[in-house]
Amino acid sequence: YLINSGAHYAAGEYNKAAKALIDAKKLAENNVEKEMQAKINISSIHLLNHLGMDIVAEEYYSRTLAITDNLKDEKTTYYLKGGKELISAYKNLEKDNPREALENFKKADSLFEEIHSPILKTETTVAIFEVYPKTTDIASAESYFEMILQNREGNSTNNIVQMIAYSQLGKLQFQKKEYSASLASYENALEIAERLDNKFYKAKIL
C-alpha cells in the first residue's frame, strides 16, 4: 500500500495516494505494528494538507504520539520529530510565514534522510521547492533551481523532484521575461510529467 501511495503521488493522484495510505494504516493497526503506524501517519501529513485536510493531519500526528508513547527506538523518534516539523511548516504557511515554513521543511527533510525514508524525503523536497521562491528574490531562486538541476543531471532516480524543479525554474524565468529559457524549462517539466503520467502537473504546466 505504501508503494502504491508513492506511485499515485508521483502521478499527481493525491486522492488515490491518500486512500492507499489509509489502507496501509488499517493494515498496520490490525497487525499492531506501532513503528509502521508511525511511518504511515507521518507519511500522510503532506497528502492531507494537499487535500486541505490539515486538521485531520494534526489529528493523525496526535494519535501517532499516543500510540508510540512507549517506543524508544531512534527511527520512530526521527519520524515523530519530522512529523512535528511538517505540522509546524504547514501552520506557518497558513500564517503566511514562508521563511519559517522553509526552515521547518528543511529540518524534516534532514530527519527523513537520516532514516532513509524515500517517500517522505521526496514529498518534503517537493514542499521545499514550492516554498523556496517565496523566501528570496527571483534571481537567487533561479540560481537555486539551476544548481539543483545541474547537480541532478544524469540522475533519473527521482524524476518528480526534477519535474518540480524545472516547473519552478520555468515560472521564475517567465517572471524575468526570459521567455525562450522559460519555455525550455516548462517543456522539460512537461516531458517528465508525461513520463510519470502526472495529470495534476501536466494540467498545471499547460
Side-chain angles (χ1 to χ4, degrees):
Y1 287 117
L2 281 177
I3 293 171
N4 285 341
S5 178
H8 288 310
Y9 182 87
E13 297 170 337
Y14 298 127
N15 286 310
K16 289 182 180 179
K19 184 181 182 301
L21 273 175
I22 290 169
D23 289 338
K25 181 174 180 291
K26 288 177 181 176
L27 184 63
E29 286 173 349
N30 290 336
N31 292 326
V32 201
E33 296 179 5
K34 292 186 177 181
E35 183 188 317
M36 183 57 70
Q37 287 183 50
K39 181 179 181 180
I40 293 165
N41 287 354
I42 300 305
S43 296
S44 70
I45 293 174
H46 284 297
L47 284 169
L48 290 170
N49 275 277
H50 270 298
L51 297 170
M53 301 170 69
D54 51 304
I55 294 174
V56 177
E58 290 181 40
E59 184 182 334
Y60 270 31
Y61 180 71
S62 296
R63 287 183 187 175
T64 306
L65 290 176
I67 63 174
T68 58
D69 188 46
N70 296 322
L71 288 181
K72 304 297 181 185
D73 65 288
E74 187 177 38
K75 199 167 187 179
T76 302
T77 300
Y78 273 58
Y79 277 125
L80 295 175
K81 287 181 177 178
K84 183 178 180 181
E85 293 296 339
L86 293 183
I87 294 293
S88 296
Y90 284 110
K91 282 185 176 180
N92 276 317
L93 286 178
E94 284 179 16
K95 296 174 184 174
D96 198 24
N97 294 327
R99 289 180 186 275
E100 289 84 350
L102 180 62
E103 289 307 308
N104 294 134
F105 282 133
K106 284 182 176 180
K107 288 176 184 176
D109 188 67
S110 178
L111 289 163
F112 297 142
E113 186 170 14
E114 284 288 329
I115 54 176
H116 307 292
S117 182
I119 293 176
L120 274 165
K121 169 75 176 167
T122 296
E123 292 174 351
T124 307
T125 300
V126 168
I128 288 171
F129 285 2
E130 291 178 340
V131 173
Y132 190 86
K134 300 174 183 178
T135 66
T136 188
D137 59 272
I138 293 176
S140 298
E142 183 180 16
S143 296
Y144 171 78
F145 286 112
E146 286 174 342
M147 181 184 68
I148 292 291
L149 289 164
Q150 185 176 1
N151 290 340
R152 289 180 175 273
E153 191 173 350
N155 180 3
S156 60
T157 57
N158 203 334
N159 286 321
I160 190 170
V161 169
Q162 290 176 305
M163 178 185 73
I164 304 298
Y166 273 123
S167 179
Q168 292 292 74
L169 180 60
K171 187 187 299 182
L172 293 163
Q173 290 166 331
F174 187 85
Q175 289 173 359
K176 288 181 68 179
K177 299 182 180 180
E178 298 171 351
Y179 299 124
S180 295
S182 175
L183 180 60
S185 294
Y186 275 128
E187 285 177 342
N188 284 328
L190 184 59
E191 181 185 349
I192 297 171
E194 288 176 338
R195 203 184 315 149
L196 294 172
D197 196 23
N198 190 310
K199 299 176 181 63
F200 177 81
Y201 267 94
K202 276 198 286 187
K204 197 171 182 180
I205 293 165
L206 294 171

